[in-house]
Amino acid sequence: MIVARHKELAVLRATMESEYSSFVAVYGRRRVGKTFLVREAFGYSFVFQHAGLYKSSKTQQLEAFASSLSEAGLAVKKTPKNWVEAFGLLRELIKQSPAKKKVVFLDELSWMHTHKSDLMAALEFFWNSWASARKDVVLIVCASATSWMMRKVIHNKGGLYNRLTTQIHVRPFTLCECEEYSQKLNLPFNRPQIAEYFMAVGGVPYYWSLLKPRYGLTQNIDALFFAPEAPLREEFKYLFASLFDAPEPYLQVVEALSGKKGGLTRNEIIAATSLKDGGPTGEILENLESCDFVRHYCPIGKKKEAVFQLVDNFTLFHYSFLHGQKPSANFWTANYNSSTHNTWRGFAFERLCLLHTPEIKQALGISGIATTEHAWRCRADAERGLKGSQIDLLIYRSDPHINLCEMKYREEEYVASAKDAEDWQRKVSDLKTSVPKKGVIFTLVTPIGLHPNANSAKVQAVITLHALFQPCPSRE
């Protein structure tokens, strides 16, 4: 029951028609569906498949590899002493196969790479000296430890440099894809409910697969996060441990960012953590972005001062309700529509919109215009005529306009007050003063729409939740 992933499936299946051997790296965060994608793409039919063992010794890894070779049909007389010998046995297995294309799938490759392991040297030798010289091998390597995959495989500076045929970053689902998956799972949720669960866990398929059709949304969230032995209550601590070799500095960064809605600069992150300037900070931030936890943007006019913003809904939900807390078993149901819940939902809806800017652009009819997305703020400055504003999303266009996006969560039509109109006018005025060459289009993003009244005239464009659920070709 595979949902979406059309582009990724096409890339994988194209290797079966290629004139030459293919070497493919598949990466992405834990639970995003990498293994499922590869298995579905090849109909669960491999000449050889093997998954590394978590936190096991080199001897145990080699024993497991030998066992997989035996299961695939090779007569293995003894456990190989090293990885060069192990890949030699794999060559023998491939030679025996009558398949037109010999598909080899090595899952959780990073777990196979133990301390002082010769795994990568053996893999390089296997591919460079043998498999790439043939025309019938499809080698697929996969791991959840994204930082390791980026360093050891994708950006390898040794024998695997520039050897990959292609790389596939498996990303979380969009709202549109979550809705499709919900229908496959026969979940009784409407779009606002799908959006709310997305605001809690993001688009990670595994977290959606745990939902039970017999429960409503609030019951499901209680069962998954707050009940005794809830399956996702301890997920956070395993998430970072599985993705990163040394998770502690990553956790420091996300904890610092979790309390700053607008994000922090590199220097501010260093000041808020034990990281050192000139240390591995850049690699940590790059890896967090590769895993879809963080996005970065450069404030208008400050191209060298990137701001890093935590946008992973699951992580932010953890810090909002679980980190250092022991909520009751029915916490979510008891607090539904409370001030705590509604405050969280307001902030979470803003993140949902940030993750769906392609859909917002599509609804605005500007998909074909090059844009960058920013948060923006300015301090009051009487001399310049600035009153002081904070804007969570600007769509800065290559044409003469900027979309100033105000995001408001309501369960009914949004009714603009006189205070809203005054606030919006202040933001437009400050932005026009700061960026005088651009026209400003005030855009309201709100689930149901805007109720017409005397104050609604300040809004030039309205984007509803319906627009965020639409298929978006520009993502392909």
Side-chain angles (χ1 to χ4, degrees):
M1 189 180 65
I2 195 159
V3 173
R5 309 298 191 208
H6 307 297
K7 180 181 177 181
E8 295 88 346
L9 284 170
V11 170
L12 288 169
R13 288 168 177 166
T15 61
M16 300 297 286
E17 306 301 325
S18 174
E19 184 181 353
Y20 301 100
S21 289
S22 301
F23 185 7
V24 182
V26 180
Y27 68 102
R29 63 178 291 165
R30 168 182 163 97
R31 311 290 205 186
V32 82
K34 303 178 296 297
T35 301
F36 183 69
L37 169 68
V38 174
R39 289 174 175 169
E40 286 287 318
F42 296 101
Y44 294 74
S45 179
F46 303 97
V47 167
F48 180 71
Q49 62 175 320
H50 175 72
L53 304 179
Y54 183 60
K55 289 189 176 181
S56 297
S57 67
K58 179 179 177 179
T59 299
Q60 291 171 319
Q61 298 288 356
L62 287 167
E63 287 174 348
F65 194 84
S67 176
S68 294
L69 287 167
S70 295
E71 188 174 342
L74 185 70
V76 180
K77 297 179 181 179
K78 60 180 180 178
T79 300
K81 297 177 182 178
N82 53 52
W83 283 112
V84 172
E85 189 175 314
F87 277 96
L89 293 173
L90 178 57
R91 288 200 301 270
E92 293 305 311
L93 175 68
I94 292 171
K95 289 177 184 177
Q96 294 176 12
S97 173
K100 180 181 177 181
K101 282 284 187 178
K102 285 77 171 173
V103 183
V104 175
F105 179 30
L106 302 180
D107 200 6
E108 299 299 357
L109 186 68
S110 61
W111 293 352
M112 296 165 62
H113 185 259
T114 52
H115 182 60
K116 294 185 178 180
S117 170
D118 60 338
L119 173 70
M120 294 310 295
L123 180 62
E124 291 169 8
F125 182 71
F126 169 78
W127 177 258
N128 293 337
S129 70
W130 190 77
S132 64
R134 299 171 63 99
K135 294 187 175 184
D136 59 352
V137 176
V138 177
L139 173 62
I140 301 163
V141 297
C142 181
S144 293
T146 303
S147 62
W148 186 92
M149 281 288 284
M150 299 295 287
R151 185 174 68 255
K152 294 290 187 179
V153 180
I154 294 168
H155 296 154
N156 186 287
K157 296 179 181 178
L160 289 181
Y161 176 73
N162 210 28
R163 297 291 185 172
L164 284 176
T165 306
T166 191
Q167 55 185 282
I168 298 175
H169 184 178
V170 183
R171 296 185 181 276
F173 283 161
T174 63
L175 276 175
C176 175
E177 292 163 341
C178 288
E179 182 176 46
E180 182 183 349
Y181 194 26
S182 296
Q183 291 168 352
K184 295 277 188 180
L185 295 171
N186 198 31
L187 298 173
F189 299 159
N190 58 23
R191 284 184 168 178
Q193 291 164 343
I194 291 170
E196 178 147 343
Y197 191 63
F198 187 97
M199 291 190 284
V201 304
V204 178
Y206 174 74
Y207 302 152
W208 288 80
S209 72
L210 299 174
L211 292 167
K212 304 298 184 186
R214 67 179 181 273
Y215 293 154
L217 178 62
T218 57
Q219 291 174 294
N220 264 298
I221 292 178
D222 274 332
L224 294 176
F225 285 97
F226 302 110
E229 300 182 6
L232 294 181
R233 191 163 191 161
E234 301 296 323
E235 169 74 4
F236 182 79
K237 69 180 181 182
Y238 298 114
L239 175 60
F240 282 80
S242 69
L243 287 172
F244 307 113
D245 302 332
E248 291 78 14
Y250 291 90
L251 289 168
Q252 288 184 42
V253 171
V254 298
E255 185 166 357
L257 291 175
S258 70
K260 297 293 182 180
K261 185 179 72 166
L264 296 170
T265 65
R266 176 192 169 101
N267 288 337
E268 289 170 336
I269 290 170
I270 290 170
T273 65
S274 63
L275 299 178
K276 296 180 180 179
D277 193 14
T281 306
E283 181 182 347
I284 289 170
L285 292 170
E286 182 181 338
N287 289 337
L288 284 170
E289 194 159 4
S290 296
C291 292
D292 302 300
F293 287 99
V294 166
R295 74 160 190 145
H296 83 273
Y297 64 90
C298 294
I300 296 171
K302 299 180 180 180
K303 294 183 179 180
K304 295 184 179 180
E305 192 176 325
V307 175
F308 297 88
Q309 189 176 24
L310 183 61
V311 292
D312 179 63
N313 290 338
F314 181 85
T315 300
L316 285 157
F317 187 85
H318 169 83
Y319 279 106
S320 295
F321 299 108
L322 295 167
H323 184 65
Q325 303 176 55
K326 293 184 178 180
S328 62
N330 64 341
F331 173 83
W332 200 252
T333 301
N335 285 276
Y336 194 79
N337 272 336
S338 67
S339 59
T340 299
H341 174 253
N342 289 331
T343 298
W344 166 81
R345 195 158 51 174
F347 290 141
F349 181 68
E350 292 174 5
R351 289 194 302 274
L352 180 147
C353 294
L354 292 176
L355 294 170
H356 289 82
T357 51
E359 286 77 9
I360 291 174
K361 286 180 59 179
Q362 178 174 263
L364 290 168
I366 59 171
S367 294
I369 298 175
T371 64
T372 52
E373 289 75 51
H374 313 261
W376 184 82
R377 68 186 66 181
C378 71
R379 295 180 179 177
D381 186 335
E383 290 186 8
R384 296 182 59 201
L386 298 174
K387 296 180 181 179
S389 296
Q390 179 172 326
I391 300 168
D392 294 312
L393 176 60
L394 291 181
I395 301 177
Y396 191 90
R397 296 155 51 164
S398 59
D399 68 5
H401 298 285
I402 298 175
N403 284 87
L404 189 168
C405 297
E406 185 82 358
M407 296 162 282
K408 297 288 188 181
Y409 189 90
R410 292 291 186 278
E411 291 184 327
E412 60 284 318
E413 280 190 325
Y414 190 83
V415 180
S417 66
K419 185 178 181 301
D420 285 328
E422 181 182 348
D423 181 52
W424 297 343
Q425 183 58 46
R426 185 192 76 251
K427 292 180 178 181
V428 170
S429 176
D430 281 351
L431 187 57
K432 284 182 174 180
T433 300
S434 300
V435 192
K437 294 183 179 180
K438 292 282 190 178
V440 177
I441 301 172
F442 189 88
T443 305
L444 179 67
V445 188
T446 189
I448 307 303
L450 177 64
H451 184 76
N453 64 14
N455 302 307
S456 63
K458 299 292 183 182
V459 179
Q460 280 88 42
V462 179
I463 306 299
T464 65
L465 189 61
H466 174 75
L468 303 185
F469 273 87
Q470 298 310 299
C472 190
S474 65
R475 284 188 179 272
E476 294 296 329

